[in-house]
Amino acid sequence: MSNRVKSVITGSGAALPERVITNNDLEKMVDTNDEWILSRTGIRERRKLEDGLSSVDLADRAAVEALEKAGLKAADIDMIIAATVTPDYPTPSTSCLLQARLGAFKAAAMDLSAGCTGFIYALAVGSQFISCGTYKNILVVGVEILSRVTDWDDRSTCVLFGDGAGAVVLQPATGDSGIVSFSLHSDGRGADLLKIPAGGSMIPASHESLQNKMHFIKMNGNEIFKFATRVVEDTLNQMMQKENITAADLDYLFLHQANLRIIDYIRKRLRMPEEKVPVNIDRYGNMSSATIPIALHEYIVKGAMKKGDLVAMVAFGAGLTWGGILMKW
Ligand code: ACO
């Protein structure tokens, strides 16, 4: 990839619903408690989108901010990629709705479904269009309204998820900054470990599917936990070996925020200090493909990354999918 045009992030944005659901709120809804949720997941609170709003509303807010930071107008966007497992409709895509909302009428638009790895996949796909010279201005959004596919009577999942959107603008690099490499993977043999069983062509919506709560997320948490700890480390090692670097060379590592214990496990394995591995799961829960872009945006806003910093991002999720991006800031 070294001889090709690299992609840089020139703007970022985030949008979160105002409504906060604390662990104490959940204690009143299901048989759970703050101590269990905090010690098992690291989550203190999460956000829930108000009724009447949908993915495109949060995506729009995040995108407008990212475009403004990049100094671009909507009319400049060549392509919109929205990573989501909770689009507004099965069809048309949320990215098309976003294109219309923004007035980005030149832009090609598509959704990308890769579970919680969606944002990483979308960044990698966007960077390819820049590398080959096809496009110059690409808007990549990670947006999830998981509260709409959460069974609020199931304590094993309802404590975990939150709503949010993060967006970045990708443009061709002029210096040596930009995406250095990426690593994308999937294993469909694990499809049943994390799924929304109904609502697709396999089990279309019916009275029975509604009654059986088959439109909500079902997850084998223990298996996903084991899978996550294995693949995150493997992915990082692959990317680092390729570039002949070690974890000590990384300035920041943005991990998918699914469980603080997974983040801590990886951080300790790599012997990285806490300040280099951002955490926002305590405030927002698991927002699937929105967790990394929101964390990234928060660190960009506070000016954490300096030119030349090495930044890695790694995510994993339904599919199964997993993958990482290594970039020079
Ligand atoms: N409150 C209180 N008790 C609970 C709760 C709750 N909210 N949920 C489960 N329990 C109970 C269980 O019933 C079980 O009780 P038992 O021992 O009497 O049977 C006990 O707590 C332990 O349950 P486990 O499922 O073994 O708990 P674990 O420590 O594995 O934590 C968790 C569960 C948090 C889901 C963990 O497995 C996890 O985070 N897995 C990874 C999930 C993940 O990474 N998903 C990412 C992809 S999903 C996405 O991003 C969209």
Side-chain angles (χ1 to χ4, degrees):
M1 204 185 288
S2 52
N3 294 331
R4 304 173 73 193
V5 180
K6 289 196 187 114
S7 304
V8 276
I9 291 175
T10 54
S12 67
L16 290 149
E18 278 175 23
R19 184 167 170 207
V20 174
I21 309 275
T22 65
N23 292 349
N24 289 335
D25 293 331
L26 288 170
E27 283 178 9
K28 294 172 199 133
M29 295 161 66
V30 287
D31 180 15
T32 191
N33 55 77
D34 177 56
E35 196 279 326
W36 192 96
I37 302 172
L38 196 55
S39 62
R40 299 286 180 128
T41 71
I43 302 169
R44 293 177 188 276
E45 57 188 45
R46 70 287 291 143
R47 301 294 177 97
K48 187 169 186 279
L49 191 64
E50 63 195 80
D51 293 346
L53 297 180
S54 62
S55 290
V56 71
D57 295 295
L58 284 190
D60 184 19
R61 274 173 45 201
V64 165
E65 186 179 3
L67 289 173
E68 197 184 300
K69 297 266 171 54
L72 284 186
K73 293 190 177 61
D76 300 326
I77 308 172
D78 298 309
M79 176 175 248
I80 299 172
I81 310 175
T84 184
V85 296
T86 51
D88 288 50
Y89 306 110
T91 192
S93 65
T94 293
S95 52
C96 276
L97 304 183
L98 180 61
Q99 190 241 31
R101 193 67 85 77
L102 293 168
F105 299 118
K106 182 176 80 171
M110 64 173 170
D111 284 5
L112 195 155
S113 171
C116 305
T117 321
F119 180 73
I120 300 294
Y121 265 70
L123 270 189
V125 170
S127 74
Q128 293 306 284
F129 281 97
I130 287 176
S131 285
C132 64
T134 312
Y135 294 134
K136 287 199 166 13
N137 305 318
I138 301 189
L139 177 67
V140 178
V141 183
V143 55
E144 303 291 3
I145 315 300
L146 292 176
S147 64
R148 302 279 160 80
V149 290
T150 295
D151 178 355
W152 292 96
D153 294 327
D154 175 8
R155 69 174 184 175
S156 72
T157 53
C158 76
V159 302
L160 303 174
F161 302 119
D163 302 337
V168 299
V169 171
L170 279 185
Q171 292 186 293
T174 46
D176 71 341
S177 299
I179 293 178
V180 176
S181 73
F182 59 79
S183 170
L184 303 179
H185 307 272
S186 59
D187 185 353
R189 290 169 296 184
D192 285 335
L193 293 177
L194 176 50
K195 72 192 313 190
I196 299 173
S201 59
M202 180 79 84
I203 306 175
S206 65
H207 288 298
E208 196 190 4
S209 69
L210 279 176
Q211 247 164 17
N212 294 335
K213 299 190 162 198
M214 294 168 83
H215 296 269
F216 297 129
I217 296 176
K218 313 282 180 203
M219 180 173 73
N220 181 333
N222 291 310
E223 287 304 315
I224 294 279
F225 196 102
K226 282 187 258 175
F227 148 75
T229 46
R230 177 171 51 83
V231 298
V232 169
E233 203 178 351
D234 285 354
T235 305
L236 268 170
N237 284 335
Q238 277 168 21
M239 291 195 301
M240 292 191 302
Q241 272 164 22
K242 199 167 146 214
E243 300 307 320
N244 208 13
I245 58 169
T246 69
D249 298 310
L250 295 178
D251 294 289
Y252 291 98
L253 171 58
F254 290 86
L255 293 173
H256 174 44
Q257 310 278 305
N259 189 315
L260 185 59
R261 287 188 289 147
I262 296 176
I263 298 169
D264 280 344
Y265 172 85
I266 300 293
R267 185 177 57 72
K268 285 175 188 158
R269 292 275 303 174
L270 297 172
R271 297 197 172 89
M272 289 183 72
E274 281 184 19
E275 61 273 17
K276 290 189 171 186
V277 186
V279 169
N280 65 13
I281 190 172
D282 53 329
R283 289 172 285 143
Y284 308 135
N286 177 350
M287 300 173 290
S288 188
S289 60
T291 67
I292 289 181
I294 290 176
L296 196 62
H297 173 70
E298 290 180 334
Y299 271 60
I300 291 173
V301 166
K302 68 178 184 184
M305 275 80 81
K306 304 281 176 279
K307 192 167 166 45
D309 277 358
L310 260 185
V311 176
M313 307 172 211
V314 184
F316 54 88
L320 297 169
T321 58
W322 64 102
I325 297 261
L326 188 64
M327 78 190 319
K328 195 168 188 182
W329 210 256

